[in-house]
Amino acid sequence: MPTKKLKYNTDLKTFCKNPTKILNLAKEGIVEILKEKKTIMYIVSPKILDKLLFIKNEFYKINKKNKEYVTKQKNKIKINDKINIGKFLMHNKWIPDENFLKQAAIWGIALKKTATKNELALFISYWKAEKRFFHHIQWQQKLARSLQQSRNLNYSNKKIRDINKLPKPDQYIPEGFRGK
């Protein structure tokens, strides 16, 4: 099944010589301007431009109504500075709730103390760079898991291996093996 051609192709020089004629040749009202077989721009007829502007205005009206609705809803709920409605990017002023330890326990993460300033700064700087959107509660869950993982790493029990030390074999010969 052949596809319907939606635009008319021409080069810039031809279009500049007689733009009205070229626009009239374009049955759909769209002219593609080419330079060395590559599209450099599109020209639309006034009729198509009116349609595009109408669509843009309709979307603007819908968005304006949605913004007004959201504003009304936010005004109904008294918003505290600490409460973030909806998803947001991590920012420097973010802090977990005061009952963070209780919430972490509900999520199955047992923390003995809240995040220190350094732990919180590390968490915030990592997630700021990731540029991800989450709800406030999701950010708190991520912080709880992060604290759990970092605090469970027990650095003191790990033996530090000296790579310059030469191993000394023992002289023990297991039973069943031949000796000297």
Side-chain angles (χ1 to χ4, degrees), residues 2 9 75 78 94 97 99 116 123 133 138 140-141 178:
N9 299 336
N75 289 338
K78 292 192 177 182
W94 182 82
D97 292 341
N99 63 346
T116 64
F123 178 80
F133 288 84
Q138 291 173 308
Q140 290 187 117
Q141 289 171 336
R178 294 185 201 166

Side-chain angles (χ1 to χ4, degrees), residues 110-135:
L111 298 173
K112 293 179 181 177
K113 60 180 183 173
T114 59
T116 64
K117 287 183 181 181
N118 289 339
E119 288 171 328
L120 193 57
L122 178 68
F123 178 80
I124 289 172
S125 62
Y126 174 82
W127 284 105
K128 273 179 61 179
E130 287 291 316
K131 298 195 185 311
R132 300 275 184 96
F133 288 84
F134 292 106
H135 292 278

Side-chain angles (χ1 to χ4, degrees), residues 2-168:
T3 59
K4 187 177 178 184
K5 190 175 181 180
L6 296 176
K7 57 189 174 284
Y8 180 83
N9 299 336
T10 188
D11 60 53
L12 188 59
K13 286 182 182 179
T14 308
F15 179 77
C16 290
K17 288 178 185 174
N18 195 345
T20 309
K21 179 183 174 186
I22 299 293
L23 268 173
N24 289 336
L25 288 173
K27 293 177 183 175
E28 297 298 323
I30 302 171
V31 177
E32 180 182 22
I33 306 297
L34 304 171
K35 182 177 183 180
E36 298 174 7
K37 297 183 181 180
K38 292 183 181 178
T39 303
I40 57 171
M41 73 173 116
Y42 291 97
I43 309 292
V44 294
S45 68
K47 187 177 179 181
I48 297 293
L49 183 61
D50 287 342
K51 287 180 182 179
L52 291 171
L53 291 174
F54 175 77
I55 292 169
K56 179 186 170 197
N57 287 333
E58 290 302 308
F59 277 119
Y60 176 76
K61 288 175 189 175
I62 291 168
N63 285 337
K64 189 175 178 181
K65 286 179 184 176
N66 285 343
K67 284 180 184 177
E68 288 171 2
Y69 173 76
V70 169
T71 304
K72 285 178 186 177
Q73 295 304 313
K74 284 183 179 180
N75 289 338
K76 286 180 184 177
I77 305 167
K78 292 192 177 182
I79 299 174
N80 187 338
D81 287 341
K82 291 184 181 178
I83 298 173
N84 292 300
I85 294 178
K87 292 184 176 186
F88 60 93
L89 282 170
M90 181 51 66
H91 54 85
N92 287 332
K93 294 182 180 179
W94 182 82
I95 56 170
D97 292 341
E98 291 175 9
N99 63 346
F100 173 67
L101 291 178
K102 288 180 183 178
Q103 289 178 325
I106 292 169
W107 302 322
I109 301 170
L111 298 173
K112 293 179 181 177
K113 60 180 183 173
T114 59
T116 64
K117 287 183 181 181
N118 289 339
E119 288 171 328
L120 193 57
L122 178 68
F123 178 80
I124 289 172
S125 62
Y126 174 82
W127 284 105
K128 273 179 61 179
E130 287 291 316
K131 298 195 185 311
R132 300 275 184 96
F133 288 84
F134 292 106
H135 292 278
H136 179 69
I137 198 85
Q138 291 173 308
W139 283 120
Q140 290 187 117
Q141 289 171 336
K142 288 188 172 300
L143 176 63
R145 280 193 300 271
S146 173
L147 292 174
Q148 181 186 37
Q149 289 174 352
S150 67
R151 289 177 182 173
N152 283 344
L153 291 175
N154 193 354
Y155 295 108
S156 63
N157 287 344
K158 291 187 178 182
K159 293 181 180 178
I160 300 173
R161 190 174 142 208
D162 184 6
I163 60 170
N164 294 321
K165 184 179 177 184
L166 293 173
K168 293 181 183 176

